[in-house]
Amino acid sequence: QGHVVRNWKVRWFVLLQDKLLYYKIEGGKKEPSPKGRILLDGCTITCPCLEYENRPLLIKLKTKTNTDYFLECCSREERDSWALDITGAIHAGHPVQVQELHRMKNSFKLLENISLHNIVERMYDSSTGIKLTRNLDQGNRYKETFTGSALVDWLISNSFAVSRFEAVTLASMLMDENFIRPVGVRSTEATRSSDPSEKFLDDSTALYMFAESSKKSTSSKEEVHFNISELSGTIVKQGFLVKQGHKRKNWKVRKFVLRADPAFLHYYDPTKEDNKPVGGFSLRGCLVSALEDNGVPAGVKGNVQGNLFKIITKNDIHYYIQASSKAERVQWIEAIKPLT
């Protein structure tokens, strides 16, 4: 977007370590000299930038002199790739931060105090919430809907997630807990996928809407009670992992807390605000082992992403758990083994 005349023009961009150059294009070729430059020292980046409702593919750069630049990309993939590389250039003097950015691109690390109820309340906000629009899907008209990619953008821009992978995980949780539901052929068919990572679509043609029951209070399930002593141990490790359910065999994000003296592993539903475990077991006599990533092991349903490990209790109950990376899987196994 131009600074004097606020129109939009095609420019050829070249990213250097400390600046972003842009060139005019004449006759399908870029001119030899740059039209302008954006100094990256002290720059802040906003992506996705939702300041223009009809332009969802924007990156916003604010220089240290408070000059705003709006850059529009051709696709979400291209936008996110440019944003990652520009952010890396801004932090080029801090290689640890750059490594962390690339690690976050394909991993999830949800907020410790995440509340789906809070997210939904923010989504409903008339000024800052998700924009509801009318959409047409295979001849059917739907009112007050939003696309999968619009929700992913909204979750990232409101700091509920730092990557698209993480936002899709959150959106899947919203759908699993019946806060939102798919409408139209594309998004509805995706829910039949056996792969949990493909049930919610980060796509501009997949439609979703608020579930009618999302504003109503749902009847609480039978609570699971735990002995106070098993929750009194010292916390050794905690974090978010994906666990396969015992009955429906579906995969859900759970917060796991590993305790010693006494040794127990409990897991919590991050959508609940009461901070009570929904499950747990003693580690005494347990076996824990990593599972191979080539193929789906017996007892595991769905096309999982890998990084699986299994815990077998002394009562022969099998727990299948998925980490976000091989390194994280190793860390959990090494933390659990001494307590068995």
Side-chain angles (χ1 to χ4, degrees):
Q1 185 188 56
H3 284 291
V4 181
V5 181
R6 295 289 181 175
N7 57 350
W8 298 84
K9 291 186 176 179
V10 175
R11 293 288 183 255
W12 181 276
F13 283 83
V14 175
L15 176 62
L16 303 180
Q17 184 171 354
D18 60 343
K19 59 179 139 324
L20 188 62
L21 304 178
Y22 53 94
Y23 298 76
K24 286 182 68 175
I25 296 178
E26 293 290 344
K29 296 181 180 180
K30 75 179 181 71
E31 293 188 342
S33 300
K35 174 76 174 175
R37 63 179 182 171
I38 303 171
L39 298 178
L40 298 178
D41 179 39
C43 226
T44 58
I45 182 169
T46 303
C47 178
C49 171
L50 305 183
E51 293 189 24
Y52 290 84
E53 188 174 336
N54 63 337
R55 293 182 180 273
L57 304 179
L58 289 184
I59 296 172
K60 178 182 177 181
L61 292 175
K62 181 184 282 291
T63 67
K64 65 180 179 181
T65 58
N66 289 324
T67 302
D68 291 340
Y69 290 88
F70 292 94
L71 318 176
E72 185 171 34
C73 300
C74 298
S75 67
R76 281 178 168 80
E77 292 76 17
E78 185 182 52
R79 179 196 65 186
D80 294 346
S81 178
W82 270 99
L84 187 72
D85 290 337
I86 292 171
T87 306
I90 292 173
H91 298 294
H94 308 278
V96 173
Q97 287 180 301
V98 177
Q99 290 174 6
E100 180 69 9
L101 285 166
H102 284 273
R103 187 197 66 77
M104 288 193 305
K105 185 179 180 183
N106 294 308
S107 67
F108 61 86
K109 210 169 190 66
L110 299 178
L111 300 174
E112 290 291 322
N113 58 347
I114 188 172
S115 165
L116 292 191
H117 294 278
N118 180 40
I119 293 175
V120 173
E121 284 182 11
R122 292 275 297 276
M123 287 175 67
Y124 271 112
D125 190 284
S126 57
S127 58
T128 60
I130 189 83
K131 301 298 181 185
L132 302 178
T133 58
R134 294 186 179 187
N135 283 285
L136 186 67
D137 184 88
Q138 299 207 1
N140 296 316
R141 293 183 181 277
Y142 298 97
K143 296 180 180 179
E144 297 187 332
T145 60
F146 47 87
T147 67
S149 54
L151 177 55
V152 169
D153 283 348
W154 185 88
L155 289 169
I156 295 173
S157 67
N158 284 272
S159 302
F160 289 116
V162 297
S163 68
R164 303 195 78 78
F165 184 86
E166 199 172 295
V168 167
T169 302
L170 265 181
S172 299
M173 292 166 63
L174 289 170
M175 196 164 60
D176 283 344
E177 299 301 324
N178 201 32
F179 287 111
I180 64 173
R181 65 182 179 90
V183 290
V185 175
R186 186 108 199 280
S187 56
T188 303
E189 286 183 347
T191 60
R192 302 188 184 101
S193 171
S194 58
D195 188 337
S197 67
E198 296 176 358
K199 290 183 182 295
F200 180 88
L201 299 178
D202 178 9
D203 193 289
S204 59
T205 63
L207 302 181
Y208 298 87
M209 67 187 304
F210 289 113
E212 292 180 356
S213 60
S214 62
K215 284 189 172 180
K216 302 175 183 177
S217 58
T218 55
S219 59
S220 59
K221 298 178 182 177
E222 183 180 350
E223 291 189 8
V224 181
H225 296 282
F226 295 91
N227 191 313
I228 294 176
S229 64
E230 69 182 71
L231 295 171
S232 63
T234 304
I235 295 178
V236 176
K237 184 175 178 60
Q238 58 182 320
F240 290 93
L241 298 165
V242 184
K243 172 187 168 293
Q244 180 178 265
H246 286 294
K247 294 180 180 179
R248 295 178 58 190
K249 303 299 182 185
N250 57 344
W251 294 84
K252 288 189 176 182
V253 175
R254 292 290 181 250
K255 179 182 178 181
F256 280 79
V257 178
L258 177 63
R259 292 181 172 91
D261 301 321
F264 275 84
L265 183 63
H266 293 98
Y267 49 94
Y268 299 73
D269 184 345
T271 69
K272 303 293 187 288
E273 298 178 349
D274 56 11
N275 202 33
K276 294 179 181 178
V278 295
F281 51 91
S282 169
L283 291 173
R284 186 183 296 275
C286 282
L287 298 174
V288 57
S289 60
L291 298 178
E292 295 297 329
D293 289 343
N294 51 346
V296 180
V300 175
K301 303 293 183 182
N303 298 320
V304 296
Q305 298 296 303
N307 308 317
L308 284 170
F309 62 98
K310 178 171 70 172
I311 301 175
I312 305 175
T313 70
K314 65 179 180 180
N315 297 324
D316 200 34
I317 298 174
H318 294 225
Y319 289 86
Y320 295 97
I321 302 169
Q322 185 177 176
S324 62
S325 67
K326 286 183 172 61
E328 186 179 49
R329 177 174 65 180
V330 169
Q331 291 169 8
W332 273 99
I333 292 174
E334 289 181 348
I336 292 170
K337 272 187 175 180
L339 303 177
T340 60

